[in-house]
Amino acid sequence: MATVRTSIHGYWSSRFAFVLAASGSAIGLGNIWKFPYMAGENGGGAFVLLYLVCVALFGAPVMMAEILLGRRGRSSPMNTMRVLAAEEKCSSSWDLLGLMGVLAGFLILSYYSVIAGWALDYVVEIGSGSFVNVTRDEAGEVFTNLISSPRRLLFWHTLFMVLTMVVVARGVSKGLETAVRLLMPALLFLVLVMIAYAMVKGDFYAGLKFLFTPDFSKLSPGVVLKAMGQAFFSLSLGMGAIMMYGSYLPRDASIATTSFQVAIVDTVVAVLAGLAIFPIVFANGLEAGQGPGLIFNTLPLAFGQMMGGVFFGAIFFVLLVFAAWTSAISLIEPAVAWLIEKFSISRLWSSLICGGIAWVIGLGTVFSFNNWKRIELFNDTFLAGKSFFDLLEYTTSNIMLPLGGVLICIFAAWFMREPSRRDELQIAHEGAYRVWRFLARYITPLGVILIFLHAIGILEKLHIT
Ligand code: TRP
């Protein structure tokens, strides 16, 4: 039952090009910025262990399901879900799943762009020598000055959003392949340089111990939820980004192999980033749980002392911006492709509109670090003390992405008919196919739902745990 649908947006030139693009989407701020600060805030080793378990149990099956649906539907997630639901004789409400993905993409990109803006600012800051031989407190001041200035944040946020729109407007495959092929290995190399530095000058043992000795007393239902959210976020799952990229995948490529490659590369980069950062944190008496500023307060200290640090530091942040760029593109591509399909407008217009929307929402994050640190409205609720950025970050990663991921799995593993599924996945090995189907049918949905229930405390109330 081979489908003959084609993509109106084009195709990747090869399976390798897809692996590059999907890795470009997966590797980004999530690995270098978010993973270390989440691990730092949530107790280190136990969080890392849970994260790895979530990548294996949920990440890999959901990624396969996303690519499977995308390649069969060959259009934006919203239309893919509509077409596939009709083909499999399911309710037309499945396209709401695409809609939730588009929404999540806008919300995530809105703050992603502000943080990528911090990295842009640091290229200039480090490149101009601001951190040469600074003390811990002086380095901290540079960061505080940056986030307290709405104007500076706005400038960099705007620049990053424009850069993203330029690439999306030209079509995702152009330029992306080269960027990922050359720049990702370069980023990895610099992370290794940082690890070498951390081994010599940092407290490497303390870093290792923090990341790899699980202290289960630090676990709480909230931490488990965050580890799961981080797995979805880091692998770009649950909102249709990988589904969109899958729709450009040639038919002869193996979905399973591809998914594993992307998941492994992404995880390795995150763990290496942790290894580069925590030894410096402990050697300088910095706070591991300080939150989103962690890498911006840590890495410049190392670059400030290192030989050639001005050069390496500037390059490091340039590469981080590139990594963020190739991720940002995938956050907005589903929305852009959908507008094109729906209203037959040009790619340029569609990119401008979508980028504009995300830019406006991003203003909320720009002010989250200065004028509106806390949303006063929620003072009496459990949201007290949270900023707009905190709320966005929390709801998108910990609720929207896992929910989207589970629904994608449920559609692929339950609602799609067996022949369609097998035809698209083309797994030669029967056992491997069954393992995937079992994970996607039972383990991922039940696991995610249990973690949700646990986090909202229902399981405790029922005395189940
Ligand atoms: N995975 C990217 C990172 O780690 C961010 C990202 C890109 C993303 N596309 C996504 C997150 C889709 C969730 C969904 O930085």
Side-chain angles (χ1 to χ4, degrees):
M1 237 200 10
T3 43
V4 285
R5 267 190 293 274
T6 51
S7 162
I8 62 164
H9 308 285
Y11 294 94
W12 304 113
S13 55
S14 63
R15 186 186 78 87
F16 186 58
F18 171 81
V19 173
L20 283 177
S23 313
S25 165
I27 301 172
L29 296 173
N31 308 61
I32 312 265
W33 160 75
K34 199 169 173 194
F35 175 76
Y37 94 71
M38 294 294 280
E41 272 183 341
N42 296 295
F47 177 89
V48 174
L49 186 66
L50 278 174
Y51 168 78
L52 296 176
V53 171
C54 289
V55 168
L57 286 188
F58 310 149
V62 175
M63 186 169 298
M64 287 177 62
E66 269 205 40
I67 304 177
L68 152 69
L69 298 188
R71 187 166 72 178
R72 205 163 181 81
R74 290 273 184 232
S75 47
S76 66
M78 211 115 81
N79 283 329
T80 284
M81 290 316 298
R82 194 175 47 77
V83 170
L84 294 184
E87 183 172 280
E88 306 293 335
K89 309 209 166 34
C90 302
S91 152
S92 61
S93 316
W94 278 100
D95 61 0
L96 291 178
L97 179 55
L99 188 66
M100 183 173 80
V102 166
L103 183 66
F106 277 124
L107 296 179
I108 297 176
L109 179 61
S110 79
Y111 73 79
Y112 204 82
S113 165
V114 177
I115 310 293
W118 296 359
L120 275 170
D121 185 89
Y122 266 52
V123 173
V124 180
E125 208 69 78
I126 294 197
S128 61
S130 307
F131 291 104
V132 178
N133 292 323
V134 287
T135 62
R136 180 186 82 181
D137 297 337
E138 286 161 347
E141 220 168 276
V142 175
F143 181 68
T144 312
N145 287 342
L146 168 65
I147 61 171
S148 359
S149 162
R151 267 165 137 216
R152 267 168 81 187
L153 295 181
L154 190 60
F155 174 77
W156 295 116
H157 165 52
T158 311
L159 179 62
F160 186 79
M161 199 60 91
V162 169
L163 288 174
T164 304
M165 285 189 289
V166 168
V167 179
V168 177
R170 296 180 60 208
V172 279
S173 70
K174 292 198 197 92
L176 191 67
E177 282 185 46
T178 356
V180 180
R181 200 190 303 250
L182 297 175
L183 301 174
M184 293 294 131
L187 179 68
L188 192 61
F189 174 74
L190 276 193
V191 171
L192 293 176
V193 169
M194 296 303 293
I195 295 181
Y197 173 88
M199 279 180 169
V200 180
K201 290 279 172 69
D203 192 343
F204 201 69
Y205 177 70
L208 271 185
K209 203 166 132 220
F210 181 74
L211 281 174
F212 298 115
T213 336
D215 173 0
F216 291 106
S217 68
K218 299 248 171 71
L219 284 189
S220 70
V223 172
V224 181
L225 180 70
K226 286 184 201 164
M228 170 177 80
Q230 175 62 17
F232 279 92
F233 183 89
S234 191
L235 294 173
S236 299
L237 296 175
M239 54 78 55
I242 296 293
M243 198 190 284
M244 188 75 236
Y245 277 14
S247 78
Y248 308 146
L249 183 65
R251 247 194 87 80
D252 54 1
S254 155
I255 292 180
T257 318
T258 313
S259 302
F260 283 121
Q261 285 166 342
V262 177
I264 289 172
V265 173
D266 184 72
T267 308
V268 167
V269 175
V271 172
L272 289 180
L275 277 180
I277 286 159
F278 285 105
I280 308 174
V281 169
F282 295 121
N284 291 285
L286 288 162
E287 178 62 55
Q290 61 177 277
L294 184 65
I295 68 160
F296 295 90
N297 285 321
T298 308
L299 293 177
L301 275 179
F303 288 122
Q305 293 160 10
M306 194 187 282
M307 223 175 61
V310 169
F311 175 75
F312 282 129
I315 301 284
F316 178 87
F317 280 95
V318 167
L319 294 172
L320 182 58
V321 169
F322 270 101
W325 199 5
T326 55
S327 301
I329 294 165
S330 74
L331 282 164
I332 198 78
E333 178 65 13
V336 170
W338 178 70
L339 276 192
I340 298 175
E341 289 161 10
K342 174 99 182 161
F343 302 105
S344 308
I345 55 174
S346 70
R347 204 165 237 285
L348 179 64
W349 268 115
S350 182
S351 314
L352 282 175
I353 296 169
C354 295
I357 297 175
W359 181 84
V360 172
I361 310 174
L363 298 181
T365 295
V366 163
F367 293 116
S368 287
F369 298 97
N370 35 70
N371 301 0
W372 306 340
K373 274 206 178 118
R374 292 186 168 77
I375 308 181
E376 309 285 335
L377 228 52
F378 297 131
N379 269 355
D380 301 331
T381 69
F382 71 99
L383 298 175
K386 291 222 187 300
S387 67
F388 182 79
F389 161 75
D390 296 330
L391 285 182
L392 269 193
E393 188 278 309
Y394 191 91
T395 24
T396 49
S397 300
N398 303 336
I399 300 170
M400 295 174 89
L401 298 179
L403 189 63
V406 163
L407 291 172
I408 289 168
C409 259
I410 291 182
F411 185 85
W414 288 102
F415 285 81
M416 210 170 192
R417 280 165 304 181
E418 186 70 14
S420 320
R421 208 159 39 219
R422 280 183 186 269
D423 170 54
E424 200 60 52
L425 274 180
Q426 302 273 0
I427 301 185
H429 196 286
E430 179 62 23
Y433 173 75
R434 284 173 183 260
V435 170
W436 170 77
R437 199 180 56 185
F438 179 74
L439 289 172
R441 275 196 167 168
Y442 303 102
I443 303 298
T444 308
L446 289 177
V448 172
I449 290 167
L450 281 178
I451 293 176
F452 274 154
L453 293 178
H454 194 206
I456 41 183
I458 291 191
L459 291 187
E460 263 113 17
K461 285 201 193 94
L462 297 174
H463 303 290
I464 293 181
T465 51

